[in-house]
Amino acid sequence: MREMLLGFRLLLGSGRANRVRFLLMVVGGAVGVCCLAFVLAIPGILKAQDSRQAARQPTCVSDGHRLCSGGDRAALQLIRTDPYGSHRFTRVFLARGTEPVPPPPGLPTFPAPGEVFVSPRLHDLLQQEPGLSQLLPGKERASIGASGLARPDELYAYIGVTRDELGEGSRMTRFGTQYTWFPTVESSALNIVRFTMAGVVLLPLAVFLAVCARLSAAARARRLAALRLLGLSSRGVQRVNAAETVVAALAGAALGLGLYWIVNQLVSRIGLPGFKWFPSDGALSGTTTFICVVGCPALAWYVGRIGARRAAADPLGVRRGAVAKPPRKWGLLPLVPGLGIVTGYCVAGATGHAPNDTKISSLLMPLAVVLLGTGIVLTLPLASRLLARRIARSTRSVSLGLAMRRNEVEHGGALRVVTGLVLLVFSASLVQGVLIEFDQVTKNVSDIQSYKLSLNGVSQKEQRALESVPGVRGHAVLAESWTDPNAEMPPSINVVIATCGQLRHTVPVVEGCVDGRPTLLENPRQPMWEDSKPGKVYPFHLTNGAGARRVMTVRVPTQTAHFHDTPGVSAINSGDVLLPPSYLPPGFRPEGATLALASASAPEEVRSVLDGIGGVDPTAEVTAAGINVESLEQLIIVKTLLGAGMVLGLIIGVAAYLVAAADRAVERRSQVTALALLGARPWTLRAVQVAQVVVPLAVGLVLAVVAGKAAESSYLVTGGGDIFWDGEGVPLLIACALGAVVVAALGSLPLVGRRIDPELIRRD
């Protein structure tokens, strides 16, 4: 206890420089804790949103009286989800039954026929785009409360209708399920976020907190060595050092948590691009608070204990400025297995043996990133010292020789300055790889957007209205041949009922199409359907609006027309048979037919077509080929979180540089003054200071670029995409590395002032 009190007294009464150092430690720790709290709060934010989504999902729970199987006792519900740009636009149609149903979360009452409840964001959108009201038949009554929304910017609506209007609805008795159908971020995507955050934020954050804990390391070591020479025990020296370090870390943790609360209140209301949350979602949990309040001081205590070890063991050598022992080679241990893992994946990708087991890769890749980042940090002292020794022996430059000798005997000060910048470049390469993988998923591969909707229950008049929706440039009717339901895998074909002109507006390129005759369609980029053999005959059941039924046979023609479109995006497939509309009896169409519409793929065109379809039939289920709005929305959220992580990494890297550079400026004042009194010119001293920082930084940046590109390529190999090697990203990384060198060089110039203060040497 006596040593702890002594540490407090030294903390408060050892001069202005020490108090400035303490303030830097507190501020630096606060920035680090705020960033850590944000990273730890992300899972809680996503979990809170998923919980509200699960609470509003309709479900049916039978009471033993066939409540969910028939009759009109249970209410009916129908959910329609459409893409609005890159966001989900969800409409829930509700029809009352004889049994009362509690209202959904966020609503005062169960919607009556003609009543519409909308989210606040949708309410504002309806004022800007009145065309959306076609999708919401009824009169807007009120807004949905926060308890019924996953996010503040969600597009969500409850629409009350009659039971007759909801013929395809499902029965329901209450709202609320254990799990949500569409989580905000799938577990696989969340693993990507964790992987990136570990490399981009947590690893640089650990280094940054260690830098803050080691501020004024030389002066503190000399003061602790003096206490040891005055008779204080080794444990007492450690306790004195711990008092300073832990108090600064605790103060920084408290300030950082308060700073996070302010940032959460502001950012949650403003929102990140594509992702918003309620302030309560980002509230600090007990686990987050414990990690910040206990974990950060524990890390600071451990780092401070390592720094005070030499002062306790060799106090006389510390006071006399004896040369420190060279760094040990065990720092290479994390780097070797990390490079081994990423090299193995790169070789597997280059030889065409990309791994298929994602479970092993999901464990090995984050481990490799952590090992590489840790290895770069621990390898820097060894590599920098070896390079400094070689340069000092061979150079004839006075400034370069002085700089390299200083780095050889005292490598810690310069390395604390450059470590944050090195990890920043390493993290930039990782984020680039993740964004490349996402770009492969979200890339638009076709100029034509196709839509499908069932024609069951759609009259001929409504069909013509759908085909005439503004923005639709082509349409066709798709149908499958009749098959025996009792047969096992019976042969079948699909027909496309359209003219050659309509077909040309539905797919990008058509060759060899002749109007008035059936034609077999073939896509060179897609294998032919095996049942589409010329000469085979298939039956089709037809019906008209009056309920009459007929049977039509179609013989697979020998004439072939080629079309070009992207498989999986087009509504038409290789092996379909094109039938002219005149081939069908007037007023008849195939049973179970599907209407395919085509428009331009521009987002505004897609929105216009979807609005027009909703104006004809608000409850129609539309499938937009190639657009999975749930996945697209998740990808946008993941990209936003990755961007936020990169911003945090940038803040941490720059903060680490600023704190370490300011600390080094204070520590180096006496040495710069001594060299100036010995006759060294100012430009020589500036060159010395720049070289001391730039040389170890260059070594670290080379390691960061090489290791980062290897990690990025191995990540792309394990991602299963088409791109493994990103040559276009190399210039960007090199530009980032050169920018870091320039920043570090400019930051070293203020160390040499114009005025010489001999008082600094007398005090020393």
Side-chain angles (χ1 to χ4, degrees), residues 285-310:
S285 64
T287 303
T288 300
T289 304
F290 177 81
I291 292 176
C292 294
V293 174
V294 176
C296 293
L299 175 62
W301 171 83
Y302 178 74
V303 173
R305 181 179 178 84
I306 295 176
R309 187 178 301 168
R310 182 167 176 249

Side-chain angles (χ1 to χ4, degrees), residues 48 82 326 342 392 413 502 540 608 630 650 658 668 685 689 697 704:
D82 301 311
V342 298
Q502 293 170 348
F540 284 82
S608 175
E630 289 83 9
L650 178 63
L658 293 176
R668 293 285 294 150
L685 295 177
Q689 300 307 315
L697 178 60

Side-chain angles (χ1 to χ4, degrees), residues 381-395:
L382 180 62
S384 176
R385 185 176 184 275
L386 292 176
L387 182 62
R389 176 182 291 181
R390 289 181 177 271
I391 295 177
R393 288 177 178 176
S394 59
T395 186

